[in-house]
Every structure is written in structure tokens, then in C-alpha cells.
Amino acid sequence: MAEQSHSVSPSGERFPLPGEGDRRAEMAHLEELVRAARDDGKEIVVVMGMGFVGAVMAAIIADTVDKETGKPSKFVIGCQRPSVRSYWKIPLLNRGQSPVKAEDPEVDAMIDRCVNQKKTFIATSNDDCLGLADCVVVDVQCDFTKQALGDMRTGEADMHALEATMRTIGEKVKPDCLVLIETTVAPGTTEFVAWPIMKKAFAARGIESQPLLAHSFERVMPGRAYVASIRDFWRVCAGCNAEARRRVEKFLHEVLNTTDFPLTVMDRPIESETTKIVENSYRATILAFLNEWSLFSERNGVDLTKVVKAIRMRPTHNNMIFPGPGIGGYCLPKDAGLGYWAYKHILGFEDGDQVFKISPLAVDINDTRALHVAELTRDALRNMGRSIAGADVVLCGASYRQDVGDTRYSGSEMVVRKLAEMGAEMRVHDPYVDHWYELELQDEYPSPGHSWSRFFRNQEHLEEIRVQKDLAAVLRGAEAVILAVPHQEYLELDPEQVVQWAGKTLAVIDCFGILSDDAIRHYLELGCEVKALGRGHIKRIKEQVRADTESLRQNA
Ligand SMILES: NC(=O)c1ccc[n+]([C@@H]2O[C@H](COP(=O)([O-])OP(=O)(O)OC[C@H]3O[C@@H](n4cnc5c(N)ncnc54)[C@H](O)[C@@H]3O)[C@@H](O)[C@H]2O)c1
């Protein structure tokens, strides 16, 4: 196969990959800019990985001003591999355009400001820029690959990108450069994997001092407060040695709002790494635990949404959340896996299965919860005398949480895949998602060989699905609608209107406590069938509607 020489952006723009001559010219230009920035008193920061986190973190650093003079104090070089898959991010950034689509207007504005006005941010694919840095921030991915559906224990951490990045950094940085790993890593990675890689590279270069390596994980949340969730949020950090710790504290105080959101400094990097893994496993566990009570509720006339609401009144329990159709996002489905894997493969313990009972189970439950949505859809259609095979089903909401366009590992994907396997004709609506790459490009998304399509049959045609924005149009002729995500647009839908758009009665499946009791009643009165995750009281409403209709008929 001929080697591809272009990288194509999501909007379809083609960028030729740089050649050796381009690299040299680019480096000469960077050196010139860095010289000028240093003359101006700025610190040089290289951010490795221009993904969801790195691109925005880089802009936040580039936007930093000296607290006394108010002048920009950092010059940032964003570095990204020149791969066919990702190179396009560089030319886009250098125009001042964000490579990540965010609901937060501050992302685009800040990147444009730093690139075009302040001129404190430039992007490159030439990692020789590492030699110019006073500080390097690492934001490359560290994935956890699951081998089977609902079996986290057979998964593996994919440290490839991170290890390669650390090797390059060790080969190129100045001895006194601070290196800060922000990537979520398996506990032990910073001190027992990354530090030795850097030390070995330093030794090969004849450098006698210890590399200055630190860890501070990201807590970024997609949505309208994307920038604030990085800059104006509590951070945790640790250094491999005393000097690394001093430097990382100084750096984070300079670039983040640590006045209002104090920094927590841990003794060792493994403690900072474990903090991230435990906080995400905690969240994943609460959600998974509610799955059994959701099934209990469905079968015993209980509305779990009201149970959760009642419990949340108690201040000690006010962060309980209703479990939707799976968990989603980049972090929650994988982070416990990184911890479980590290216990054996980095830290050398053989009794992982005796120690880790709850966290793996939580991930497995969350990963497969969405399959139940397919069962509910099948049953609702059956109650209407229809079959799921060949039924036109509309899924409302492709992303993993409300009012964002982030589709990574969303429960909705599992719903679509399972229903496609059962023969349903799927259509998708989402006001925030333009392209559902997990479906459209399933051969290469999230990476080749890793699509959830491998766990199901009959998936080929899902590549043809295009996310629709016109709800009325997508509902035309639908036999079932699945309200999968509580996007604003779905909260106030009028049942009469939905039935009118569909042109007939349809099955309505609520995955997220979206329907009010009035709406449920209204759908049932219109002759629709309603089913929902965790909402067993629907049966009661149905009996009431039936009784009311009967008494109306008798009184007529
Ligand atoms: N996205 C989130 O919501 C979120 C939240 C909290 C924490 N995190 C953590 O942040 C980290 C980064 O996540 P992300 O969402 O930004 O990932 P991402 O996949 O969007 O970005 C990673 C980028 O690094 C690049 N890269 C890989 N190897 C490289 C190399 N050798 N040199 C230069 N660039 C390289 C990739 O091409 C990609 O552009 C992960 O550890 C993740 O767990 C993410």
C-alpha cells in the first residue's frame, strides 16, 4: 500500500506531511522565536500531545501573565506527532484555530488570542523543540484496551505513546528542564517507568544529574466550562525528587488559579497517580452499584429517579447521580483498569484478583448496562405487536453526557450496536455531535482494531449513519425513540408533537430519567408504549391510564 502523504482534518482539509527540509526550516524559525521570547524574559514551555487536554492546557499556559507586571510570561510550543491521523492539528493551531471542538467559547477565543495577538503559542511536529524547553508538559494518551466486552480484567494498559514520548524527552531536553506528566497513568508509571527511561537516556548523554520529573493529573470536563475545569480547579501534584517538587509547585502556581483552588502536594508521584485512579473508580463504583437498584426498581414499581432525588436531600449523600445507559467519557471506563493492571505489571503483585473485587466489577457493569436498553426497546415494540428486526429506531443523544458533543465510549454507542445486531434500522439525532466517528470511521476509531464493533455482528452498515439535527425529520415514520442523553432539547418534548412527527404511535424508551410522570402518562394516553431504565412505576401509570380510559368508555 502506498504511504499516505497527507493528513486530513475533520472538516476534510488536506495537509501534506512535512519532509526533512520543512523540519529544518521550522526548527530555525522556532529557535529565532525562542531567542526573542527569552530576551523578553519568558519561560519556554513545550506541551507534548495536542489532543483534548494538551491543546487547551497549552493555550492556558500561553495566556499566563506575570502576576506583578501583567506581561505574558510563557512562550509555548505545542508538539504533536506528524502522523497521518493527527498532523492536521498543527497547521490548524498555527492559524489560531482549535483542533478540538468544544462547547466552551473560551477555547477558540483563547487559542486565537495566544497565537495571533499575544504570539505566545506556536505548534510544531518537530520534537527537536524539546531541546529549547525550560519545562515540558506531557499530555499524550495512555489507553487501556479491553479484550472482551464486560471483562476488564483481561484488558491491558497501552503505554506505547507515553513511553516513546518519555524516551524522546530524555534524549532531547536540557538537564535542568522540568518534565511534568499530566497524562492519567497506571500508578507507579512516573517513578518506575518514565523516570528510569529518562535516567537511561541522560546516562547515555553523559548527564550526571537526575531528571526533574513530576506528575499532576488533569480533571478536565467537556462542556461549557472546559477552560475553567483546567485553570480554575483544584490540582494535585508530586515530584520524583525535592527539586522536581519545588519546580512543579512553582509552575502550577504560575499557570493555574491556585489562589481560589489550592494545590495539593503529595509526597510521591504514585500518590498523585493513585488519587486520579481512585477518584474515578469511586465515581464508577457508585454508578455501577446503582445498576442493581435500577433493575430492582424496574421490577418492583419503584421510580429510581425519585429515590435518588430523595437521598440527595441528605447532605452527606448529595453527589449520588442517576446511572444512565453506561458511563462514557475517556476516563471513567478505563481508569480502574489502569490501577488493576499496574498492581501486577508495574508493581509486581500476583494477588490482584483477591484484592480487586469491586473496581473491576464496577467497570464491567457500567460497560454492559446499555445492553439492557436494547432489551427494553425490544420489549416495548413487542408489547405494541411489532418486532425489533427491521424496526426504524431513533436514538436521541450520541454523546456520553448532557449538553456536550463528546461521544467517547458513550453508552449510546453500545445501544446502537446491540440494536443493529438485533436487526433494527438505526437513526441518530444529537444537537451537539456533527460526526459520530466511532460509527462513521469504525475501522480506525478509536484506533484500528479497537472499535466496539468487534463485539457484535451486523455492524458494517453503521458506517453510513449520519447524525441528524432536525428532530422532526429524523422521527418521521419511526417505530421507537430512545431518549439516551438528557440534552436540553429533549427535556421539554411534547408527547403530542413527537407522535405527530413520527406519524404514528411509537415506543418511547427513557434512559436517563428524562420523562416527567405527566409526559409518561400523556404518551400512554396517546397509545404509545413507554419503558425506562430504573422506572418501575410506569406500570402503575399504565394501569391508571387503562382504568381511566375504561371508566370513560363506560360513562360514554
Ligand atoms: N479528555 C478528557 O476528558 C480527560 C479528562 C481528564 C484526564 N484526561 C487524561 O489526559 C490525557 C490526554 O487525554 P486526551 O483526551 O488529550 O487524549 P488525546 O488522544 O485527545 O490526545 C493525545 C495527543 O497526543 C498525541 N501524541 C501521542 N504521542 C505523541 C508523541 N510522541 N509526541 C507528540 N504527541 C503525541 C496524539 O497524537 C494526540 O493528539 C489522558 O491520559 C487522559 O486520561 C483526559
PDB file of all heavy atoms in Angstrom, residues 120-131:
ATOM      1  N   THR A 120       2.191  34.025  21.745  1.00  0.00           N
ATOM      2  CA  THR A 120       2.859  33.231  22.778  1.00  0.00           C
ATOM      3  C   THR A 120       2.648  31.743  22.566  1.00  0.00           C
ATOM      4  O   THR A 120       2.970  30.933  23.439  1.00  0.00           O
ATOM      5  CB  THR A 120       2.307  33.602  24.178  1.00  0.00           C
ATOM      6  OG1 THR A 120       0.874  33.573  24.104  1.00  0.00           O
ATOM      7  CG2 THR A 120       2.783  34.957  24.632  1.00  0.00           C
ATOM      8  N   PHE A 121       2.046  31.368  21.440  1.00  0.00           N
ATOM      9  CA  PHE A 121       1.718  29.956  21.217  1.00  0.00           C
ATOM     10  C   PHE A 121       1.967  29.610  19.750  1.00  0.00           C
ATOM     11  O   PHE A 121       1.455  30.278  18.850  1.00  0.00           O
ATOM     12  CB  PHE A 121       0.233  29.733  21.583  1.00  0.00           C
ATOM     13  CG  PHE A 121      -0.229  28.284  21.540  1.00  0.00           C
ATOM     14  CD1 PHE A 121       0.658  27.206  21.436  1.00  0.00           C
ATOM     15  CD2 PHE A 121      -1.590  27.993  21.628  1.00  0.00           C
ATOM     16  CE1 PHE A 121       0.202  25.897  21.412  1.00  0.00           C
ATOM     17  CE2 PHE A 121      -2.057  26.682  21.599  1.00  0.00           C
ATOM     18  CZ  PHE A 121      -1.155  25.632  21.487  1.00  0.00           C
ATOM     19  N   ILE A 122       2.782  28.569  19.545  1.00  0.00           N
ATOM     20  CA  ILE A 122       3.022  28.069  18.190  1.00  0.00           C
ATOM     21  C   ILE A 122       3.022  26.539  18.272  1.00  0.00           C
ATOM     22  O   ILE A 122       3.331  25.986  19.328  1.00  0.00           O
ATOM     23  CB  ILE A 122       4.350  28.627  17.620  1.00  0.00           C
ATOM     24  CG1 ILE A 122       4.499  28.267  16.138  1.00  0.00           C
ATOM     25  CG2 ILE A 122       5.562  28.143  18.406  1.00  0.00           C
ATOM     26  CD1 ILE A 122       5.603  29.055  15.422  1.00  0.00           C
ATOM     27  N   ALA A 123       2.644  25.894  17.179  1.00  0.00           N
ATOM     28  CA  ALA A 123       2.623  24.424  17.200  1.00  0.00           C
ATOM     29  C   ALA A 123       3.603  23.887  16.171  1.00  0.00           C
ATOM     30  O   ALA A 123       3.859  24.518  15.142  1.00  0.00           O
ATOM     31  CB  ALA A 123       1.218  23.928  16.897  1.00  0.00           C
ATOM     32  N   THR A 124       4.151  22.722  16.465  1.00  0.00           N
ATOM     33  CA  THR A 124       5.121  22.103  15.560  1.00  0.00           C
ATOM     34  C   THR A 124       5.021  20.574  15.655  1.00  0.00           C
ATOM     35  O   THR A 124       4.516  20.053  16.653  1.00  0.00           O
ATOM     36  CB  THR A 124       6.560  22.528  15.914  1.00  0.00           C
ATOM     37  OG1 THR A 124       7.466  21.884  15.019  1.00  0.00           O
ATOM     38  CG2 THR A 124       6.940  22.119  17.333  1.00  0.00           C
ATOM     39  N   SER A 125       5.520  19.911  14.630  1.00  0.00           N
ATOM     40  CA  SER A 125       5.604  18.448  14.730  1.00  0.00           C
ATOM     41  C   SER A 125       7.053  18.020  14.941  1.00  0.00           C
ATOM     42  O   SER A 125       7.353  16.839  14.994  1.00  0.00           O
ATOM     43  CB  SER A 125       5.059  17.809  13.455  1.00  0.00           C
ATOM     44  OG  SER A 125       5.814  18.258  12.351  1.00  0.00           O
ATOM     45  N   ASN A 126       7.939  19.002  15.057  1.00  0.00           N
ATOM     46  CA  ASN A 126       9.361  18.700  15.180  1.00  0.00           C
ATOM     47  C   ASN A 126       9.765  18.599  16.655  1.00  0.00           C
ATOM     48  O   ASN A 126       9.886  19.614  17.352  1.00  0.00           O
ATOM     49  CB  ASN A 126      10.172  19.815  14.483  1.00  0.00           C
ATOM     50  CG  ASN A 126      11.633  19.454  14.395  1.00  0.00           C
ATOM     51  OD1 ASN A 126      12.116  18.574  15.114  1.00  0.00           O
ATOM     52  ND2 ASN A 126      12.352  20.121  13.520  1.00  0.00           N
ATOM     53  N   ASP A 127       9.992  17.376  17.130  1.00  0.00           N
ATOM     54  CA  ASP A 127      10.248  17.235  18.574  1.00  0.00           C
ATOM     55  C   ASP A 127      11.663  17.671  18.969  1.00  0.00           C
ATOM     56  O   ASP A 127      12.015  17.636  20.149  1.00  0.00           O
ATOM     57  CB  ASP A 127       9.910  15.834  19.086  1.00  0.00           C
ATOM     58  CG  ASP A 127      10.577  14.727  18.288  1.00  0.00           C
ATOM     59  OD1 ASP A 127      11.622  14.990  17.690  1.00  0.00           O
ATOM     60  OD2 ASP A 127      10.038  13.592  18.287  1.00  0.00           O
ATOM     61  N   ASP A 128      12.474  18.141  18.007  1.00  0.00           N
ATOM     62  CA  ASP A 128      13.745  18.766  18.390  1.00  0.00           C
ATOM     63  C   ASP A 128      13.489  20.011  19.248  1.00  0.00           C
ATOM     64  O   ASP A 128      14.382  20.485  19.953  1.00  0.00           O
ATOM     65  CB  ASP A 128      14.550  19.172  17.145  1.00  0.00           C
ATOM     66  CG  ASP A 128      15.173  17.956  16.465  1.00  0.00           C
ATOM     67  OD1 ASP A 128      15.237  16.887  17.117  1.00  0.00           O
ATOM     68  OD2 ASP A 128      15.573  18.062  15.283  1.00  0.00           O
ATOM     69  N   CYS A 129      12.266  20.534  19.190  1.00  0.00           N
ATOM     70  CA  CYS A 129      11.917  21.716  20.005  1.00  0.00           C
ATOM     71  C   CYS A 129      12.098  21.424  21.498  1.00  0.00           C
ATOM     72  O   CYS A 129      12.217  22.352  22.302  1.00  0.00           O
ATOM     73  CB  CYS A 129      10.497  22.182  19.714  1.00  0.00           C
ATOM     74  SG  CYS A 129       9.240  21.031  20.286  1.00  0.00           S
ATOM     75  N   LEU A 130      12.103  20.138  21.869  1.00  0.00           N
ATOM     76  CA  LEU A 130      12.272  19.786  23.286  1.00  0.00           C
ATOM     77  C   LEU A 130      13.568  20.361  23.852  1.00  0.00           C
ATOM     78  O   LEU A 130      13.652  20.704  25.034  1.00  0.00           O
ATOM     79  CB  LEU A 130      12.274  18.260  23.451  1.00  0.00           C
ATOM     80  CG  LEU A 130      10.904  17.584  23.308  1.00  0.00           C
ATOM     81  CD1 LEU A 130      11.053  16.089  23.083  1.00  0.00           C
ATOM     82  CD2 LEU A 130      10.052  17.852  24.550  1.00  0.00           C
ATOM     83  N   GLY A 131      14.593  20.468  22.994  1.00  0.00           N
ATOM     84  CA  GLY A 131      15.892  20.994  23.437  1.00  0.00           C
ATOM     85  C   GLY A 131      15.822  22.471  23.821  1.00  0.00           C
ATOM     86  O   GLY A 131      16.734  22.991  24.471  1.00  0.00           O
TER      87      GLY A 131
END
